[in-house]
């Protein structure tokens, strides 16, 4: 299953809001359609958001119908702002836009046609690199997966959240491929159910044993000894290892500590924000109350119920046993191990 695919002059996005029931594809022919798809989570997951935005910039290049190089660059600057305003927490979005922009500035393409070619080429390269990165994360992560493992994971960090294979789900895939006896518990991930809808789908398609639980069952599953590892992804990691990920990740980490279960984060280098010293500086997206007050567009609360709907939380670094990256597994003290990654 692929979250997105470039098709000549348009970006084809698998609409994840409709999964697992329907496989609807959105053919985006301009950057506003890509921005809208990111906002409403048709494409989601930090690495996939970044690559979608890179292609959005490429579409911006194709949208411009004039012949003036400078005018195109001005237009692209507006496109970049629109894409950057979609979701605030996943740093991969800003990282991807910055990377492409740097390429533009360094390569100094001379004509409108050259700029267009560069944007498409760089977005494609980023997509390919993301897949390779995930395979490396999987290889490193497999080293810390027990040969018989009950693994609790949260949200969706698989092929759908990336450009293939996945980060935390990539580690699970690698361990399964290595012949380990893996049983996965997938938290449903209220309110948008990425775990129930997407993670369960991916694992079932791969034949990896998976059991769905509601988020509130995690403590009991741990208490009963069914889990010996917790692994989730990241939307943004600060310099001290504090990690923003899907709301509910923090609760899992605290519960795991109580039950003496190791907790790992799996994330590419592009999920680190080396400019932030700690998690308190990470912006947390708040989403519409209807995500909580409605189920399938039907109200489940009294009209006017007050709602708090943060999409992410921060797991303080002291709860993490390791951060699995494409360059290897980072261990505490994270200030030191992350500094080495930053210097690379
Ligand atoms: O709101 P979402 O579905 O974009 O949130 C996704 C997550 O929180 C993932 O765990 C994270 O982006 C890592 S994906 C490899």
């Amino acid at each position: 299953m692929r979250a997105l695919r470039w098709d000549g002059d348009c970006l084809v996005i698998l609409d994840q809001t409709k999964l697992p029931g329907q496989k609807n594809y959105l053919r985006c022919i301009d950057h506003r359609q890509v921005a809208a798809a990111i906002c409403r989570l048709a494409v989601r997951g930090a690495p996939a958001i970044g690559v979608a935005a890179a292609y959005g910039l490429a579409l911006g290049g194709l949208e411009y119908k004039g012949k003036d190089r400078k005018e195109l660059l001005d237009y692209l600057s507006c496109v970049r702002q629109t894409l950057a305003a979609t979701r605030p927490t996943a740093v991969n979005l800003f990282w991807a836009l910055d990377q492409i922009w740097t390429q533009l500035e360094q390569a100094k393409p001379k004509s409108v046609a050259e700029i267009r070619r560069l944007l498409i080429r760089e977005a494609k390269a980023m997509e390919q690199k993301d897949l390779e990165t995930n395979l490396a994360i999987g290889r490193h992560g497999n080293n810390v997966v027990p040969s018989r493992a009950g693994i609790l994971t949260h949200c969706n960090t698989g092929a759908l959240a990336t450009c293939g294979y996945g980060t935390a789900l990539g580690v699970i895939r690698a361990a399964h491929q290595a012949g380990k006896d893996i049983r996965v518990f997938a938290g449903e991930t209220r309110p948008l159910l990425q775990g129930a809808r997407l993670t369960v789908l991916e694992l079932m398609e791969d034949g990896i044993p998976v059991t769905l639980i509601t988020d509130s069952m995690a403590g009991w599953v741990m208490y009963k000894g069914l889990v010996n590892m917790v692994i989730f992804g990241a939307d943004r990691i600060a310099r001290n290892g504090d990690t923003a990920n899907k709301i509910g990740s923090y609760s899992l980490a605290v519960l795991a500590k109580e039950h003496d279960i190791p907790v790992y984060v799996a994330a590419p280098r592009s999920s680190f924000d080396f400019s932030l010293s700690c998690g308190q500086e990470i912006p947390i997206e708040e989403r519409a109350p209807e995500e909580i007050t409605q189920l399938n567009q039907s109200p489940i609360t009294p009209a006017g119920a007050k709602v708090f709907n943060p999409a992410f939380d921060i797991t303080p670094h002291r709860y993490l046993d390791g951060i699995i990256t494409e360059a290897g597994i980072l261990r505490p003290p994270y200030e030191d191990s992350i500094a080495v990654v930053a210097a690379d």
Side-chain angles (χ1 to χ4, degrees), residues 41 43-47 49 87 90 154-158 161-162 166-168 192 194 232-235 245-247 266 268 285 287 311-312:
L41 272 62
V43 59
R44 36 122 335 255
I49 290 171
R87 297 191 73 190
H154 194 54
C155 197
N156 172 267
T157 57
T162 61
T167 57
L192 297 182
Q194 291 93 329
F232 48 77
D235 286 83
N245 191 52
K246 179 53 57 193
I247 190 76
E285 177 182 11
R287 295 187 59 87
F312 302 96

PDB file of all heavy atoms in Angstrom, residues 41 43-47 49 87 90 154-158 161-162 166-168 192 194 232-235 245-247 266 268 285 287 311-312, ligand 1:
ATOM      1  N   LEU A  41      -6.012  15.076   6.808  1.00  0.00           N
ATOM      2  CA  LEU A  41      -5.432  13.769   7.094  1.00  0.00           C
ATOM      3  C   LEU A  41      -5.720  12.702   6.034  1.00  0.00           C
ATOM      4  O   LEU A  41      -5.709  11.508   6.324  1.00  0.00           O
ATOM      5  CB  LEU A  41      -5.858  13.252   8.487  1.00  0.00           C
ATOM      6  CG  LEU A  41      -4.981  13.663   9.674  1.00  0.00           C
ATOM      7  CD1 LEU A  41      -4.981  15.177   9.860  1.00  0.00           C
ATOM      8  CD2 LEU A  41      -5.406  12.991  10.937  1.00  0.00           C
ATOM      9  N   VAL A  43      -3.665  12.414   3.669  1.00  0.00           N
ATOM     10  CA  VAL A  43      -2.292  11.933   3.777  1.00  0.00           C
ATOM     11  C   VAL A  43      -1.803  12.384   5.143  1.00  0.00           C
ATOM     12  O   VAL A  43      -2.035  13.521   5.547  1.00  0.00           O
ATOM     13  CB  VAL A  43      -1.386  12.421   2.613  1.00  0.00           C
ATOM     14  CG1 VAL A  43      -1.329  13.924   2.538  1.00  0.00           C
ATOM     15  CG2 VAL A  43       0.008  11.832   2.719  1.00  0.00           C
ATOM     16  N   ARG A  44      -1.165  11.456   5.889  1.00  0.00           N
ATOM     17  CA  ARG A  44      -0.818  11.767   7.275  1.00  0.00           C
ATOM     18  C   ARG A  44       0.377  10.909   7.676  1.00  0.00           C
ATOM     19  O   ARG A  44       0.813  10.056   6.926  1.00  0.00           O
ATOM     20  CB  ARG A  44      -2.027  11.535   8.212  1.00  0.00           C
ATOM     21  CG  ARG A  44      -2.858  10.381   7.816  1.00  0.00           C
ATOM     22  CD  ARG A  44      -3.090   9.236   8.787  1.00  0.00           C
ATOM     23  NE  ARG A  44      -2.130   9.021   9.809  1.00  0.00           N
ATOM     24  CZ  ARG A  44      -1.239   8.034   9.786  1.00  0.00           C
ATOM     25  NH1 ARG A  44      -1.144   7.185   8.772  1.00  0.00           N
ATOM     26  NH2 ARG A  44      -0.396   7.867  10.781  1.00  0.00           N
ATOM     27  N   GLY A  45       0.872  11.173   8.899  1.00  0.00           N
ATOM     28  CA  GLY A  45       2.107  10.526   9.314  1.00  0.00           C
ATOM     29  C   GLY A  45       3.253  11.443   8.919  1.00  0.00           C
ATOM     30  O   GLY A  45       3.322  11.900   7.761  1.00  0.00           O
ATOM     31  N   ALA A  46       4.132  11.717   9.888  1.00  0.00           N
ATOM     32  CA  ALA A  46       5.129  12.775   9.682  1.00  0.00           C
ATOM     33  C   ALA A  46       5.939  12.656   8.375  1.00  0.00           C
ATOM     34  O   ALA A  46       6.005  13.625   7.600  1.00  0.00           O
ATOM     35  CB  ALA A  46       6.042  12.847  10.901  1.00  0.00           C
ATOM     36  N   PRO A  47       6.556  11.485   8.091  1.00  0.00           N
ATOM     37  CA  PRO A  47       7.363  11.434   6.861  1.00  0.00           C
ATOM     38  C   PRO A  47       6.533  11.600   5.593  1.00  0.00           C
ATOM     39  O   PRO A  47       6.960  12.280   4.646  1.00  0.00           O
ATOM     40  CB  PRO A  47       8.002  10.034   6.927  1.00  0.00           C
ATOM     41  CG  PRO A  47       7.985   9.685   8.389  1.00  0.00           C
ATOM     42  CD  PRO A  47       6.697  10.261   8.913  1.00  0.00           C
ATOM     43  N   ILE A  49       3.761  13.269   5.258  1.00  0.00           N
ATOM     44  CA  ILE A  49       3.360  14.684   5.149  1.00  0.00           C
ATOM     45  C   ILE A  49       4.500  15.482   4.494  1.00  0.00           C
ATOM     46  O   ILE A  49       4.275  16.311   3.612  1.00  0.00           O
ATOM     47  CB  ILE A  49       3.031  15.269   6.547  1.00  0.00           C
ATOM     48  CG1 ILE A  49       1.737  14.653   7.091  1.00  0.00           C
ATOM     49  CG2 ILE A  49       2.913  16.789   6.493  1.00  0.00           C
ATOM     50  CD1 ILE A  49       1.450  15.001   8.558  1.00  0.00           C
ATOM     51  N   ARG A  87      -0.095  21.771   8.985  1.00  0.00           N
ATOM     52  CA  ARG A  87      -0.106  21.101  10.303  1.00  0.00           C
ATOM     53  C   ARG A  87       1.165  21.522  11.056  1.00  0.00           C
ATOM     54  O   ARG A  87       2.261  21.462  10.500  1.00  0.00           O
ATOM     55  CB  ARG A  87      -0.172  19.574  10.148  1.00  0.00           C
ATOM     56  CG  ARG A  87      -1.456  19.103   9.465  1.00  0.00           C
ATOM     57  CD  ARG A  87      -1.626  17.603   9.559  1.00  0.00           C
ATOM     58  NE  ARG A  87      -1.984  17.185  10.914  1.00  0.00           N
ATOM     59  CZ  ARG A  87      -1.995  15.916  11.307  1.00  0.00           C
ATOM     60  NH1 ARG A  87      -1.633  14.958  10.469  1.00  0.00           N
ATOM     61  NH2 ARG A  87      -2.335  15.604  12.538  1.00  0.00           N
ATOM     62  N   ALA A  90       4.336  18.020  13.133  1.00  0.00           N
ATOM     63  CA  ALA A  90       5.330  17.158  12.461  1.00  0.00           C
ATOM     64  C   ALA A  90       6.406  18.023  11.805  1.00  0.00           C
ATOM     65  O   ALA A  90       6.143  18.735  10.829  1.00  0.00           O
ATOM     66  CB  ALA A  90       4.637  16.281  11.416  1.00  0.00           C
ATOM     67  N   HIS A 154       1.148   2.344  18.765  1.00  0.00           N
ATOM     68  CA  HIS A 154       0.115   3.375  18.817  1.00  0.00           C
ATOM     69  C   HIS A 154       0.046   4.095  17.476  1.00  0.00           C
ATOM     70  O   HIS A 154       1.055   4.241  16.793  1.00  0.00           O
ATOM     71  CB  HIS A 154       0.476   4.377  19.924  1.00  0.00           C
ATOM     72  CG  HIS A 154      -0.660   5.284  20.304  1.00  0.00           C
ATOM     73  ND1 HIS A 154      -1.892   4.811  20.672  1.00  0.00           N
ATOM     74  CD2 HIS A 154      -0.737   6.634  20.387  1.00  0.00           C
ATOM     75  CE1 HIS A 154      -2.688   5.833  20.969  1.00  0.00           C
ATOM     76  NE2 HIS A 154      -2.011   6.953  20.797  1.00  0.00           N
ATOM     77  N   CYS A 155      -1.148   4.563  17.136  1.00  0.00           N
ATOM     78  CA  CYS A 155      -1.358   5.289  15.893  1.00  0.00           C
ATOM     79  C   CYS A 155      -0.946   4.418  14.705  1.00  0.00           C
ATOM     80  O   CYS A 155      -0.961   3.187  14.799  1.00  0.00           O
ATOM     81  CB  CYS A 155      -0.612   6.630  15.909  1.00  0.00           C
ATOM     82  SG  CYS A 155      -1.191   7.787  14.637  1.00  0.00           S
ATOM     83  N   ASN A 156      -0.562   5.036  13.603  1.00  0.00           N
ATOM     84  CA  ASN A 156      -0.062   4.266  12.457  1.00  0.00           C
ATOM     85  C   ASN A 156       1.267   4.845  12.015  1.00  0.00           C
ATOM     86  O   ASN A 156       1.374   6.041  11.721  1.00  0.00           O
ATOM     87  CB  ASN A 156      -1.040   4.297  11.280  1.00  0.00           C
ATOM     88  CG  ASN A 156      -0.414   3.671  10.041  1.00  0.00           C
ATOM     89  OD1 ASN A 156       0.174   4.356   9.213  1.00  0.00           O
ATOM     90  ND2 ASN A 156      -0.482   2.359   9.924  1.00  0.00           N
ATOM     91  N   THR A 157       2.270   3.969  11.992  1.00  0.00           N
ATOM     92  CA  THR A 157       3.628   4.385  11.634  1.00  0.00           C
ATOM     93  C   THR A 157       4.140   3.523  10.485  1.00  0.00           C
ATOM     94  O   THR A 157       5.343   3.326  10.335  1.00  0.00           O
ATOM     95  CB  THR A 157       4.571   4.211  12.837  1.00  0.00           C
ATOM     96  OG1 THR A 157       4.501   2.821  13.235  1.00  0.00           O
ATOM     97  CG2 THR A 157       4.182   5.081  14.007  1.00  0.00           C
ATOM     98  N   GLY A 158       3.215   3.005   9.686  1.00  0.00           N
ATOM     99  CA  GLY A 158       3.605   2.038   8.669  1.00  0.00           C
ATOM    100  C   GLY A 158       3.831   2.634   7.300  1.00  0.00           C
ATOM    101  O   GLY A 158       4.176   3.817   7.150  1.00  0.00           O
ATOM    102  N   ALA A 161       2.104   5.858   6.628  1.00  0.00           N
ATOM    103  CA  ALA A 161       2.574   7.082   7.282  1.00  0.00           C
ATOM    104  C   ALA A 161       3.900   7.570   6.697  1.00  0.00           C
ATOM    105  O   ALA A 161       4.424   8.608   7.113  1.00  0.00           O
ATOM    106  CB  ALA A 161       2.742   6.828   8.775  1.00  0.00           C
ATOM    107  N   THR A 162       4.420   6.795   5.753  1.00  0.00           N
ATOM    108  CA  THR A 162       5.765   7.060   5.219  1.00  0.00           C
ATOM    109  C   THR A 162       5.725   6.826   3.707  1.00  0.00           C
ATOM    110  O   THR A 162       4.654   6.771   3.118  1.00  0.00           O
ATOM    111  CB  THR A 162       6.785   6.082   5.860  1.00  0.00           C
ATOM    112  OG1 THR A 162       6.377   4.737   5.510  1.00  0.00           O
ATOM    113  CG2 THR A 162       6.818   6.197   7.380  1.00  0.00           C
ATOM    114  N   GLY A 166       7.646   1.789   6.808  1.00  0.00           N
ATOM    115  CA  GLY A 166       7.281   2.387   8.097  1.00  0.00           C
ATOM    116  C   GLY A 166       8.438   2.497   9.057  1.00  0.00           C
ATOM    117  O   GLY A 166       9.526   1.967   8.831  1.00  0.00           O
ATOM    118  N   THR A 167       8.187   3.207  10.163  1.00  0.00           N
ATOM    119  CA  THR A 167       9.225   3.422  11.186  1.00  0.00           C
ATOM    120  C   THR A 167       9.030   2.402  12.320  1.00  0.00           C
ATOM    121  O   THR A 167       9.655   1.347  12.310  1.00  0.00           O
ATOM    122  CB  THR A 167       9.165   4.871  11.699  1.00  0.00           C
ATOM    123  OG1 THR A 167       7.852   5.148  12.201  1.00  0.00           O
ATOM    124  CG2 THR A 167       9.511   5.855  10.603  1.00  0.00           C
ATOM    125  N   ALA A 168       8.134   2.699  13.280  1.00  0.00           N
ATOM    126  CA  ALA A 168       7.883   1.717  14.342  1.00  0.00           C
ATOM    127  C   ALA A 168       7.307   0.434  13.735  1.00  0.00           C
ATOM    128  O   ALA A 168       7.685  -0.683  14.122  1.00  0.00           O
ATOM    129  CB  ALA A 168       6.928   2.307  15.377  1.00  0.00           C
ATOM    130  N   LEU A 192      -9.223   9.660  15.830  1.00  0.00           N
ATOM    131  CA  LEU A 192      -9.348   9.393  14.394  1.00  0.00           C
ATOM    132  C   LEU A 192      -9.027   7.942  14.012  1.00  0.00           C
ATOM    133  O   LEU A 192      -9.048   7.589  12.831  1.00  0.00           O
ATOM    134  CB  LEU A 192      -8.510  10.392  13.585  1.00  0.00           C
ATOM    135  CG  LEU A 192      -8.978  11.850  13.752  1.00  0.00           C
ATOM    136  CD1 LEU A 192      -8.150  12.811  12.905  1.00  0.00           C
ATOM    137  CD2 LEU A 192     -10.455  12.014  13.390  1.00  0.00           C
ATOM    138  N   GLN A 194      -6.445   5.872  13.816  1.00  0.00           N
ATOM    139  CA  GLN A 194      -5.393   5.433  12.891  1.00  0.00           C
ATOM    140  C   GLN A 194      -4.932   4.010  13.214  1.00  0.00           C
ATOM    141  O   GLN A 194      -4.524   3.256  12.331  1.00  0.00           O
ATOM    142  CB  GLN A 194      -4.194   6.379  12.946  1.00  0.00           C
ATOM    143  CG  GLN A 194      -4.441   7.764  12.376  1.00  0.00           C
ATOM    144  CD  GLN A 194      -4.888   8.768  13.420  1.00  0.00           C
ATOM    145  OE1 GLN A 194      -5.542   8.395  14.383  1.00  0.00           O
ATOM    146  NE2 GLN A 194      -4.552  10.023  13.229  1.00  0.00           N
ATOM    147  N   PHE A 232       6.579   3.302  19.408  1.00  0.00           N
ATOM    148  CA  PHE A 232       5.769   4.226  18.612  1.00  0.00           C
ATOM    149  C   PHE A 232       6.670   5.162  17.818  1.00  0.00           C
ATOM    150  O   PHE A 232       7.903   5.100  17.947  1.00  0.00           O
ATOM    151  CB  PHE A 232       4.730   4.980  19.466  1.00  0.00           C
ATOM    152  CG  PHE A 232       5.226   5.616  20.739  1.00  0.00           C
ATOM    153  CD1 PHE A 232       5.936   6.805  20.711  1.00  0.00           C
ATOM    154  CD2 PHE A 232       4.948   5.031  21.977  1.00  0.00           C
ATOM    155  CE1 PHE A 232       6.365   7.407  21.881  1.00  0.00           C
ATOM    156  CE2 PHE A 232       5.379   5.631  23.169  1.00  0.00           C
ATOM    157  CZ  PHE A 232       6.090   6.816  23.121  1.00  0.00           C
ATOM    158  N   GLY A 233       6.078   5.998  17.002  1.00  0.00           N
ATOM    159  CA  GLY A 233       6.841   6.889  16.134  1.00  0.00           C
ATOM    160  C   GLY A 233       7.006   8.266  16.750  1.00  0.00           C
ATOM    161  O   GLY A 233       6.849   8.453  17.966  1.00  0.00           O
ATOM    162  N   ALA A 234       7.338   9.230  15.919  1.00  0.00           N
ATOM    163  CA  ALA A 234       7.543  10.595  16.415  1.00  0.00           C
ATOM    164  C   ALA A 234       7.143  11.600  15.354  1.00  0.00           C
ATOM    165  O   ALA A 234       7.325  11.361  14.154  1.00  0.00           O
ATOM    166  CB  ALA A 234       9.010  10.809  16.772  1.00  0.00           C
ATOM    167  N   ASP A 235       6.592  12.697  15.811  1.00  0.00           N
ATOM    168  CA  ASP A 235       6.332  13.827  14.925  1.00  0.00           C
ATOM    169  C   ASP A 235       7.389  14.908  15.071  1.00  0.00           C
ATOM    170  O   ASP A 235       7.629  15.693  14.142  1.00  0.00           O
ATOM    171  CB  ASP A 235       4.936  14.400  15.178  1.00  0.00           C
ATOM    172  CG  ASP A 235       3.898  13.461  14.588  1.00  0.00           C
ATOM    173  OD1 ASP A 235       3.548  12.480  15.255  1.00  0.00           O
ATOM    174  OD2 ASP A 235       3.483  13.681  13.444  1.00  0.00           O
ATOM    175  N   ASN A 245       4.389  12.804  19.845  1.00  0.00           N
ATOM    176  CA  ASN A 245       3.758  11.789  18.982  1.00  0.00           C
ATOM    177  C   ASN A 245       2.259  11.803  19.258  1.00  0.00           C
ATOM    178  O   ASN A 245       1.776  12.567  20.110  1.00  0.00           O
ATOM    179  CB  ASN A 245       4.365  10.404  19.234  1.00  0.00           C
ATOM    180  CG  ASN A 245       3.938   9.401  18.179  1.00  0.00           C
ATOM    181  OD1 ASN A 245       4.070   9.662  16.984  1.00  0.00           O
ATOM    182  ND2 ASN A 245       3.379   8.272  18.591  1.00  0.00           N
ATOM    183  N   LYS A 246       1.538  10.978  18.546  1.00  0.00           N
ATOM    184  CA  LYS A 246       0.074  10.951  18.638  1.00  0.00           C
ATOM    185  C   LYS A 246      -0.405  10.931  20.083  1.00  0.00           C
ATOM    186  O   LYS A 246       0.158  10.226  20.918  1.00  0.00           O
ATOM    187  CB  LYS A 246      -0.430   9.715  17.885  1.00  0.00           C
ATOM    188  CG  LYS A 246      -1.920   9.503  17.876  1.00  0.00           C
ATOM    189  CD  LYS A 246      -2.698  10.691  17.395  1.00  0.00           C
ATOM    190  CE  LYS A 246      -2.312  11.150  16.005  1.00  0.00           C
ATOM    191  NZ  LYS A 246      -2.863  12.502  15.675  1.00  0.00           N
ATOM    192  N   ILE A 247      -1.436  11.700  20.355  1.00  0.00           N
ATOM    193  CA  ILE A 247      -2.011  11.786  21.690  1.00  0.00           C
ATOM    194  C   ILE A 247      -2.266  10.362  22.235  1.00  0.00           C
ATOM    195  O   ILE A 247      -2.816   9.522  21.534  1.00  0.00           O
ATOM    196  CB  ILE A 247      -3.317  12.642  21.671  1.00  0.00           C
ATOM    197  CG1 ILE A 247      -3.805  12.951  23.067  1.00  0.00           C
ATOM    198  CG2 ILE A 247      -4.408  11.992  20.838  1.00  0.00           C
ATOM    199  CD1 ILE A 247      -3.032  14.015  23.764  1.00  0.00           C
ATOM    200  N   ALA A 266      10.732   5.066  17.230  1.00  0.00           N
ATOM    201  CA  ALA A 266      11.423   4.823  15.954  1.00  0.00           C
ATOM    202  C   ALA A 266      11.148   6.016  15.050  1.00  0.00           C
ATOM    203  O   ALA A 266       9.978   6.337  14.794  1.00  0.00           O
ATOM    204  CB  ALA A 266      10.922   3.538  15.306  1.00  0.00           C
ATOM    205  N   PRO A 268      13.032   8.780  11.782  1.00  0.00           N
ATOM    206  CA  PRO A 268      14.172   9.199  10.957  1.00  0.00           C
ATOM    207  C   PRO A 268      14.786  10.496  11.478  1.00  0.00           C
ATOM    208  O   PRO A 268      14.169  11.209  12.277  1.00  0.00           O
ATOM    209  CB  PRO A 268      13.529   9.432   9.587  1.00  0.00           C
ATOM    210  CG  PRO A 268      12.118   9.811   9.892  1.00  0.00           C
ATOM    211  CD  PRO A 268      11.729   9.072  11.142  1.00  0.00           C
ATOM    212  N   GLU A 285      -0.580  20.570  17.851  1.00  0.00           N
ATOM    213  CA  GLU A 285      -1.782  20.860  17.056  1.00  0.00           C
ATOM    214  C   GLU A 285      -3.048  20.549  17.852  1.00  0.00           C
ATOM    215  O   GLU A 285      -3.146  19.504  18.488  1.00  0.00           O
ATOM    216  CB  GLU A 285      -1.752  19.984  15.791  1.00  0.00           C
ATOM    217  CG  GLU A 285      -2.970  20.117  14.916  1.00  0.00           C
ATOM    218  CD  GLU A 285      -2.912  19.180  13.688  1.00  0.00           C
ATOM    219  OE1 GLU A 285      -2.036  18.289  13.638  1.00  0.00           O
ATOM    220  OE2 GLU A 285      -3.750  19.356  12.798  1.00  0.00           O
ATOM    221  N   ARG A 287      -7.142  20.141  17.212  1.00  0.00           N
ATOM    222  CA  ARG A 287      -8.028  19.926  16.072  1.00  0.00           C
ATOM    223  C   ARG A 287      -9.482  20.158  16.449  1.00  0.00           C
ATOM    224  O   ARG A 287      -9.808  20.422  17.605  1.00  0.00           O
ATOM    225  CB  ARG A 287      -7.793  18.520  15.492  1.00  0.00           C
ATOM    226  CG  ARG A 287      -6.369  18.397  14.900  1.00  0.00           C
ATOM    227  CD  ARG A 287      -6.147  17.112  14.167  1.00  0.00           C
ATOM    228  NE  ARG A 287      -7.059  16.891  13.065  1.00  0.00           N
ATOM    229  CZ  ARG A 287      -6.890  17.323  11.820  1.00  0.00           C
ATOM    230  NH1 ARG A 287      -5.811  18.028  11.499  1.00  0.00           N
ATOM    231  NH2 ARG A 287      -7.781  17.055  10.878  1.00  0.00           N
ATOM    232  N   ALA A 311      -3.907  16.910  19.199  1.00  0.00           N
ATOM    233  CA  ALA A 311      -3.637  15.744  18.350  1.00  0.00           C
ATOM    234  C   ALA A 311      -2.384  14.988  18.786  1.00  0.00           C
ATOM    235  O   ALA A 311      -2.179  13.840  18.379  1.00  0.00           O
ATOM    236  CB  ALA A 311      -3.495  16.194  16.905  1.00  0.00           C
ATOM    237  N   PHE A 312      -1.554  15.630  19.603  1.00  0.00           N
ATOM    238  CA  PHE A 312      -0.277  15.025  19.998  1.00  0.00           C
ATOM    239  C   PHE A 312      -0.014  15.284  21.472  1.00  0.00           C
ATOM    240  O   PHE A 312      -0.622  16.175  22.077  1.00  0.00           O
ATOM    241  CB  PHE A 312       0.875  15.623  19.164  1.00  0.00           C
ATOM    242  CG  PHE A 312       0.679  15.422  17.686  1.00  0.00           C
ATOM    243  CD1 PHE A 312       0.112  16.418  16.895  1.00  0.00           C
ATOM    244  CD2 PHE A 312       1.021  14.225  17.085  1.00  0.00           C
ATOM    245  CE1 PHE A 312      -0.114  16.216  15.546  1.00  0.00           C
ATOM    246  CE2 PHE A 312       0.799  14.012  15.730  1.00  0.00           C
ATOM    247  CZ  PHE A 312       0.234  15.018  14.963  1.00  0.00           C
TER     248      PHE A 312
HETATM  249  O1  LIG B   1      -2.184  12.822  13.036  1.00  0.00           O
HETATM  250  P1  LIG B   1      -1.326  11.817  12.324  1.00  0.00           P
HETATM  251  O2  LIG B   1      -2.084  10.607  11.900  1.00  0.00           O
HETATM  252  O3  LIG B   1      -0.540  12.458  11.209  1.00  0.00           O
HETATM  253  O4  LIG B   1      -0.290  11.360  13.422  1.00  0.00           O
HETATM  254  C1  LIG B   1       0.702  10.431  13.084  1.00  0.00           C
HETATM  255  C2  LIG B   1       1.569  10.040  14.224  1.00  0.00           C
HETATM  256  O5  LIG B   1       1.453  10.500  15.321  1.00  0.00           O
HETATM  257  C3  LIG B   1       2.682   9.087  13.906  1.00  0.00           C
HETATM  258  O6  LIG B   1       2.951   8.276  15.003  1.00  0.00           O
HETATM  259  C4  LIG B   1       3.958   9.877  13.546  1.00  0.00           C
HETATM  260  O7  LIG B   1       3.664  10.830  12.559  1.00  0.00           O
HETATM  261  C5  LIG B   1       5.034   9.003  13.065  1.00  0.00           C
HETATM  262  S1  LIG B   1       4.655   8.280  11.475  1.00  0.00           S
HETATM  263  C6  LIG B   1       5.982   7.354  10.997  1.00  0.00           C
END
